[in-house]
Amino acid sequence: MNNSNVENIFLSDLKLTQNVLKTKSSKLLNEYLLKKNSINEKEKITNEIQEIRNLKSNFLSQYIYNIYQKVTEDFSKYLRVEELILQVELQFPYLLPEKELIEFDKSKIQKDKIGFEFDYGIFFNSILSNEKCGNHLIHSMLLPKKQSIELLKKFRNEDKIDLGTALITRKNGVSTVWFNNPRFLHAEDETTIKNVETAIDLALLDEKTKIGILRGSKIKEGKYAGKHTSCTGINLTHLYNGKITYLWYLIRDLGFINKIYRGLALENTSISEIDGKTIEKPWIGAVESFAIGGGCQYLLVTDYIVAEKGSYLTLPARKEGIIPGVANMRLPRFVGDRIARQAIQYERKIECDSEVGKLICDEIVDSKEFEKSLSLVAERLTNSGVVSISSNRKSFRVIQEPINQFREYMAVYAREQAECHFSEALISNLEKFWNAQSRKE
């Protein structure tokens, strides 16, 4: 069958699918938005929503290449997750949830959401399941953000940038990216990840920076007042109150965490470990007091970890009711399958100074020696240049987590995290283990 016939079949099926989706979406809009009835009766619309999802899933599994090729202009445009959504909405109406439905859900707390964003999970599962489309999307998310490029000159001149919920400072060729959400013990939410990604971009783009450090800024009040602490993972209060979007998960793990691990991509240059090139630098993970959830996940993409004596690591995914990023794939490389399952599914707490903790953390130091130890590690890692470090990073990566393995993991993650994010179990867990219904935002 020639390309013209294939295109005609695609356009014909597209038109039929869009007509059906338009009718069904209009019904949803009329019944549940304009009339505003049944908001507390989700079960009445479950079947209708599932029919729509099945139709979209079947169509996308067959034609995702055609769609992605079109919106990226034959793979010549690099669109981030959020930009891709906008282009598909514009060029292929009804294949994604209508904006009115998304906005309708956005105003609700998590347990009252219908879950229209779930369709994004189907969409990105389809993209990431396709090798060419998925790798192109990963490439797009590894490119430096426009904001980062705009701020680079300022950072070069001033050696620091305050982004609000993230800071970056540079001294003696060492750039420290500071998590800065002290009110929530540096928890991650919609206010943090874009700023952290900008800071990571700046460290990687800046020619004077030889190495990066990930660290939490000082806490201003409460139990940890005056102390540095590491990140506490996803902001569970915001999650319970519906302030974390589904796309947040994808932007986070395809974005700055993957940039720490793989470096920054260049346009029209492969990101493959075998024949590609990225701008990458070594990273030190600093653990002070604890590294919980996402804070622990960061450590798994760093090159060296310095932990404060008495600190600990946890991945409380079971209590949260979600998948802990890419930890399911990365943690077993450090501690083996059994302990990884215990940590993720059974809440095993890992003391940094324990036998297991030392499989993750490279140095355990007294708090009084922490600053000195970070400086010494940075010096040792870079005193023979960073070229060999980058080459060794790639050599580890091609065996441990080549790009296609990461892509396939993220394809599963895209769909399964959508299931978790909108599940009743998530709400139950947050109320049972976090007392989220009683906490203030």
Side-chain angles (χ1 to χ4, degrees):
M1 189 179 295
N2 61 41
N3 291 337
S4 178
N5 289 337
V6 171
E7 178 70 7
N8 288 336
I9 292 172
F10 164 62
L11 293 174
S12 176
D13 285 355
L14 173 65
K15 185 175 181 180
L16 288 172
T17 302
Q18 285 178 311
N19 286 338
V20 175
L21 289 174
K22 180 179 180 180
T23 300
K24 291 183 177 293
S25 295
S26 296
K27 184 179 179 182
L28 281 177
L29 282 167
N30 289 329
E31 291 185 0
Y32 306 109
L33 301 189
L34 300 181
K35 294 181 182 179
K36 294 185 179 180
N37 59 1
S38 302
I39 183 56
N40 294 316
E41 302 174 28
K42 289 185 181 181
E43 65 277 4
K44 291 186 178 180
I45 62 172
T46 298
N47 290 338
E48 292 178 36
I49 291 175
Q50 194 57 52
E51 284 180 17
I52 291 174
R53 285 178 182 160
N54 289 341
L55 181 59
K56 289 179 178 179
S57 182
N58 291 336
F59 183 81
L60 290 171
S61 65
Q62 187 174 358
Y63 292 116
I64 193 62
Y65 184 91
N66 305 72
I67 296 165
Y68 193 87
Q69 183 183 36
K70 173 75 172 177
V71 297
T72 60
E73 296 180 11
D74 200 19
F75 300 91
S76 66
K77 291 178 66 176
Y78 294 93
L79 302 174
R80 289 176 58 86
V81 163
E82 53 271 51
E83 296 169 332
L84 188 59
I85 290 288
L86 293 175
Q87 283 301 311
V88 173
E89 287 175 342
L90 181 66
Q91 297 184 43
F92 296 95
Y94 306 107
L95 290 187
L96 294 177
E98 293 190 68
K99 289 182 180 179
E100 293 91 337
L101 295 173
I102 297 296
E103 290 300 317
F104 175 75
D105 252 6
K106 188 181 290 186
S107 62
K108 311 297 179 185
I109 64 172
Q110 194 67 22
K111 67 180 179 181
D112 289 340
K113 292 180 187 291
I114 303 299
F116 295 115
E117 268 194 306
F118 184 96
D119 294 17
Y120 292 154
I122 298 171
F123 176 65
F124 284 103
N125 169 266
S126 299
I127 290 174
L128 291 160
S129 296
N130 181 283
E131 183 174 350
K132 185 168 184 179
C133 298
N135 286 345
H136 189 271
L137 175 61
I138 292 169
H139 191 150
S140 301
M141 292 298 290
L142 286 175
L143 291 169
K145 298 194 308 176
K146 293 177 182 177
Q147 182 192 18
S148 308
I149 295 171
E150 291 168 357
L151 287 171
L152 183 57
K153 183 178 180 180
K154 178 179 172 68
F155 179 60
R156 284 170 175 161
N157 292 335
E158 300 179 11
D159 298 330
K160 62 181 179 179
I161 295 283
D162 184 345
L163 297 159
T165 54
L167 314 170
I168 179 169
T169 58
R170 183 187 59 212
K171 184 179 180 181
N172 298 327
V174 180
S175 281
T176 302
V177 172
W178 301 90
F179 306 114
N180 192 43
N181 192 14
R183 183 185 170 201
F184 294 102
L185 293 179
H186 306 315
E188 304 174 285
D189 53 44
E190 296 282 355
T191 71
T192 67
I193 62 167
K194 291 181 180 179
N195 292 332
V196 172
E197 184 172 358
T198 300
I200 298 295
D201 281 353
L202 289 170
L204 291 169
L205 288 168
D206 175 51
E207 299 90 343
K208 294 180 182 178
T209 297
K210 298 178 181 178
I211 190 168
I213 297 176
L214 300 175
R215 194 177 182 189
S217 64
K218 284 187 178 181
I219 301 299
K220 298 176 182 177
E221 56 187 30
K223 179 180 178 180
Y224 297 97
K227 292 188 63 177
H228 292 278
T229 72
S230 302
C231 171
T232 52
I234 191 169
N235 188 325
L236 298 179
T237 304
H238 280 201
L239 178 59
Y240 182 80
N241 286 296
K243 304 299 183 182
I244 305 288
T245 66
Y246 164 75
L247 293 179
W248 181 90
Y249 300 102
L250 298 184
I251 293 169
R252 174 186 182 272
D253 282 287
L254 290 170
F256 78 87
I257 295 180
N258 206 29
K259 286 177 175 179
I260 295 169
Y261 188 57
R262 288 190 155 80
L264 290 179
L266 307 168
E267 287 193 15
N268 304 314
T269 301
S270 171
I271 56 173
S272 167
E273 287 77 22
I274 297 172
D275 62 357
K277 182 180 181 181
T278 58
I279 304 170
E280 59 180 301
K281 296 172 183 177
W283 288 88
I284 301 170
V287 182
E288 295 170 274
S289 297
F290 46 70
I292 299 170
C296 184
Q297 293 167 41
Y298 300 154
L299 302 179
L300 306 181
V301 294
T302 60
D303 299 277
Y304 203 91
I305 298 166
V306 179
E308 180 184 36
K309 190 175 292 184
S311 58
Y312 65 89
L313 316 173
T314 61
L315 280 166
R318 185 180 70 84
K319 282 187 174 181
E320 296 167 353
I322 56 176
I323 302 170
V326 192
N328 302 55
M329 179 166 63
R330 291 171 177 158
L331 185 59
R333 297 202 293 260
F334 292 78
V335 299
D337 182 80
R338 287 294 90 196
I339 293 174
R341 288 177 185 270
Q342 291 167 18
I344 293 170
Q345 298 180 324
Y346 204 70
E347 283 179 79
R348 176 166 178 167
K349 181 179 179 180
I350 300 175
E351 300 288 347
C352 292
D353 202 13
S354 67
E355 184 178 340
V356 173
K358 290 175 181 177
L359 294 175
I360 301 173
C361 302
D362 299 283
E363 290 188 25
I364 315 296
V365 300
D366 187 84
S367 58
K368 293 179 181 179
E369 300 295 320
F370 202 81
E371 301 284 348
K372 181 180 178 181
S373 295
L374 284 178
S375 297
L376 287 174
V377 170
E379 170 63 21
R380 286 201 300 269
L381 284 173
T382 58
N383 61 13
S384 60
V386 296
V387 174
S388 64
I389 291 179
S390 296
S391 298
N392 279 305
R393 281 167 56 97
K394 288 185 177 72
S395 299
F396 279 122
R397 209 162 54 232
V398 73
I399 297 300
Q400 294 179 339
E401 193 182 307
I403 197 71
N404 278 325
Q405 182 179 329
F406 174 71
R407 175 184 57 78
E408 290 173 353
Y409 179 94
M410 289 303 297
V412 174
Y413 179 78
R415 188 150 189 160
E416 294 304 315
Q417 193 71 303
E419 292 275 7
C420 294
H421 187 64
F422 294 107
S423 70
E424 292 182 4
L426 180 140
I427 302 302
S428 175
N429 287 343
L430 292 177
E431 291 182 345
K432 181 179 180 180
F433 297 115
W434 181 245
N435 194 27
Q437 67 275 23
S438 302
R439 294 179 183 263
K440 295 181 181 180
E441 286 190 60

